[in-house]
Amino acid sequence: MKLLNHVTAYFAAILLVVLTAWAGIFYYNMLDEIYDSIDDGLENQKILVLQKARQDSTVLQQKDFEEGYYKIRPVTAAWAKQHKDLYQDTLMYMQNEKDFEPVRLLTTVFQQGGQYYEMRLITSMVEEDDLIEDLLYSLLWLYLGLLATLLLLNNILLKHIWKPFYTLVNRLRKFKLDSAQPFSSPISKIEEFQLLGQTVEKLLQKNVAVYQSQRSFIENASHELQTPLAISLNKLELLAESPNLQEKELEQIGGVLQNLERLTRLNKSLLLLSKIENRQFAEEETVNLQEVVQNVLLDFEDFFAFHHLTLTQETDTPCLVNMNPDLANMLVMNLVKNAIVHNAPRGFVRVHLSSNALVIENSGQNTPLAEDQLFQRFYKGTASTTSTGLGLAIVKAICDLYSFHVSYQFQEKHRLQVQFK
């Protein structure tokens, strides 16, 4: 959820709570004002009826509400002295509504001509259920109006305010450490955004410097290692061709040559892995993995024959991916090489390519490999002396670079799958 929508959701919830609380307070205050107004009206009606009764004694003969809004009956002096003015709510049948409706009733006592009388006056009231319904609809429309206003402000005002932030994020997404263009933060009048941009800019400048230093160190170290290794290999090969060497000496030279060759492969693999993780393979194009897989399998024909492995391939389906062609070749080559190196004598390798996945299955040891360690550097499922332990680490690095998903399963055979989409 975007920050603006997140803030809007909080505001909407808070606004709903505040309006609900305000509605309750407003409702009871409004009822209190209504009761005060009605009671004042009843008090005024009482005064008018008393004035009318002093002028016309027939007023005292009204015994029922059917003839008006009041009724009078005589009472004893003792009863009258015990009662005061009483305001209360009650129901009365209304002819026009054909139903009982709420009314406000005033019961009072007065004296005229030495006789005490009880008088009851009524007036219509606001129906509370109608009042609540009207208030609810009014508050609902008010809430929706405020919410619409809030959304409008978010999409116009707040988006304009947050524009430097989104500009900064977009520039960060497009920025690459190996880019020749320096990173520049967007200009903003808001102090916090200025501070954020300056901090990010300084941080990236340090990262670029560290990246360039690390890149130079790796390349120089690899080059410096590769040269003495190549010289040592050449000299040992020349030494091995000497006719005066004993068989034991030849075996020792062969062991040294094997270790130096492994060290050479290790040096190249670490350099490759570093370049992948540093995103130095920037060139991308649409690669047909069908051609890549078929070419790699053709290159490894002698290896399959040497290890007496049975190859089964289903690679007739084109598979188009957008990536660096060299990395595509390295991805397939390392997967196939892994299936050959970590296989059983006279085993099998099955290669299946679909439009969105590459699956390679092979025989090998009858126990599953440690899935949580399989793609880590220098992990070896077998004690192979020819393996550097970096093949699947390179595969994982390439998959991470292009957001591919690589997985491992074991069901009486080892199965590696790369999902491209």
Side-chain angles (χ1 to χ4, degrees):
M1 180 184 289
K2 288 187 176 181
L3 179 61
L4 293 179
N5 296 333
H6 194 68
V7 173
T8 302
Y10 271 105
F11 278 161
I14 293 171
L15 190 62
L16 181 61
V17 173
V18 170
L19 280 179
T20 303
W22 179 85
I25 297 171
F26 176 77
Y27 173 74
Y28 286 109
N29 284 337
M30 186 169 59
L31 274 184
D32 186 61
E33 290 297 326
I34 291 173
Y35 278 122
D36 284 345
S37 178
I38 292 175
D39 291 348
D40 289 343
L42 286 172
E43 182 68 22
N44 184 62
Q45 289 177 3
K46 167 190 168 182
I47 295 172
L48 293 175
V49 171
L50 291 177
Q51 290 176 351
K52 187 177 179 181
R54 292 189 186 99
Q55 297 172 2
D56 184 4
S57 60
T58 58
V59 172
L60 302 175
Q61 307 300 317
Q62 184 163 324
K63 308 294 184 182
D64 205 337
F65 287 120
E66 293 180 359
E67 298 178 7
Y69 58 88
Y70 66 93
K71 68 177 182 178
I72 301 174
R73 69 184 180 93
V75 294
T76 62
W79 189 92
K81 290 178 181 179
Q82 295 177 357
H83 290 78
K84 297 181 180 180
D85 288 358
L86 174 65
Y87 295 90
Q88 62 187 118
D89 297 333
T90 186
L91 294 174
M92 180 171 287
Y93 188 81
M94 299 292 181
Q95 292 293 337
N96 61 330
E97 297 287 343
K98 303 298 181 182
D99 196 7
F100 285 91
E101 297 293 334
V103 295
R104 187 71 168 167
L105 172 66
L106 167 60
T107 303
T108 185
V109 177
F110 68 95
Q111 181 185 14
Q112 184 170 323
Q115 176 64 42
Y116 288 92
Y117 297 92
E118 178 197 67
M119 181 171 61
R120 296 189 175 188
L121 299 102
I122 59 169
T123 186
S124 297
M125 278 189 61
V126 177
E127 297 184 27
E128 290 190 26
D129 53 348
D130 292 340
L131 180 63
I132 291 173
E133 184 179 352
D134 292 341
L135 181 61
L136 180 63
Y137 280 115
S138 299
L139 288 174
L140 180 61
W141 285 112
L142 175 62
Y143 176 73
L144 293 176
L146 289 174
L147 195 59
T149 304
L150 191 63
L151 289 172
L152 189 63
L153 285 175
N154 272 355
N155 284 283
I156 297 177
L157 179 62
L158 292 182
K159 269 191 176 180
H160 177 72
I161 294 173
W162 281 85
K163 187 176 180 181
F165 172 79
Y166 290 114
T167 304
L168 178 64
V169 171
N170 287 331
R171 290 185 184 180
L172 284 173
R173 284 177 178 170
K174 297 176 182 178
F175 180 74
K176 294 181 179 180
L177 288 174
D178 56 351
S179 174
Q181 295 292 333
F183 180 83
S184 60
S185 58
I187 300 173
S188 174
K189 297 179 181 179
I190 301 173
E191 184 178 346
E192 287 78 6
F193 288 155
Q194 289 179 0
L195 180 61
L196 177 62
Q198 292 169 4
T199 305
V200 170
E201 192 170 342
K202 290 179 182 178
L203 180 63
L204 287 179
Q205 287 174 356
K206 292 180 181 178
N207 284 344
V208 169
V210 171
Y211 166 77
Q212 295 292 349
S213 175
Q214 180 186 10
R215 178 177 175 179
S216 299
F217 170 78
I218 292 173
E219 290 179 351
N220 293 336
S222 176
H223 176 73
E224 293 300 325
L225 283 172
Q226 201 70 26
T227 302
L229 284 173
I231 293 173
S232 300
L233 283 170
N234 289 334
K235 287 185 176 182
L236 284 172
E237 287 174 355
L238 290 173
L239 181 61
E241 294 175 0
S242 176
N244 300 322
L245 292 177
Q246 302 295 324
E247 183 177 353
K248 186 176 181 180
E249 293 171 336
L250 286 172
E251 289 178 359
Q252 290 177 345
I253 292 174
V256 174
L257 282 170
Q258 189 176 9
N259 286 327
L260 286 175
E261 288 173 352
R262 182 174 177 275
L263 189 58
T264 302
R265 292 195 303 271
L266 185 63
N267 183 48
K268 291 180 179 179
S269 297
L270 284 173
L271 178 61
L272 173 62
L273 195 56
S274 176
K275 286 183 176 180
I276 294 171
E277 292 176 347
N278 289 333
R279 299 177 180 268
Q280 292 179 232
F281 294 88
E283 300 81 9
E284 294 182 9
E285 62 183 62
T286 301
V287 178
N288 188 355
L289 281 181
Q290 180 188 24
E291 297 176 1
V292 176
V293 172
Q294 290 176 349
N295 290 334
V296 169
L297 292 178
L298 188 63
D299 292 339
F300 277 96
E301 272 188 349
D302 294 337
F303 288 88
F304 285 111
F306 178 78
H307 291 279
H308 305 287
L309 299 176
T310 303
L311 173 64
T312 305
Q313 56 176 312
E314 298 176 8
T315 58
D316 297 330
T317 305
C319 178
L320 303 178
V321 293
N322 190 46
M323 63 185 302
N324 182 277
D326 294 330
L327 291 184
N329 188 72
M330 292 174 194
L331 174 69
V332 177
M333 185 177 67
N334 277 283
L335 287 170
V336 173
K337 186 177 179 182
N338 178 78
I340 294 173
V341 173
H342 302 286
N343 212 317
R346 301 186 180 278
F348 65 86
V349 175
R350 297 176 187 146
V351 180
H352 174 75
L353 179 68
S354 64
S355 60
N356 59 2
L358 172 63
V359 179
I360 296 182
E361 299 175 340
N362 64 277
S363 54
Q365 61 184 26
N366 294 324
T367 55
L369 302 174
E371 190 173 353
D372 57 335
Q373 302 177 21
L374 185 61
F375 299 102
Q376 294 182 5
R377 298 182 185 185
F378 304 113
Y379 172 78
K380 297 181 183 179
T382 61
S384 174
T385 57
T386 59
S387 173
T388 61
L390 293 174
L392 292 184
I394 292 174
V395 169
K396 184 69 166 62
I398 296 173
C399 291
D400 291 342
L401 181 63
Y402 295 106
S403 299
F404 301 155
H405 178 68
V406 58
S407 59
Y408 166 79
Q409 290 179 338
F410 178 78
Q411 295 176 345
E412 297 183 355
K413 58 183 176 294
H414 301 277
R415 185 177 191 267
L416 280 168
Q417 174 175 308
V418 178
Q419 195 79 27
F420 301 111
K421 297 176 185 178

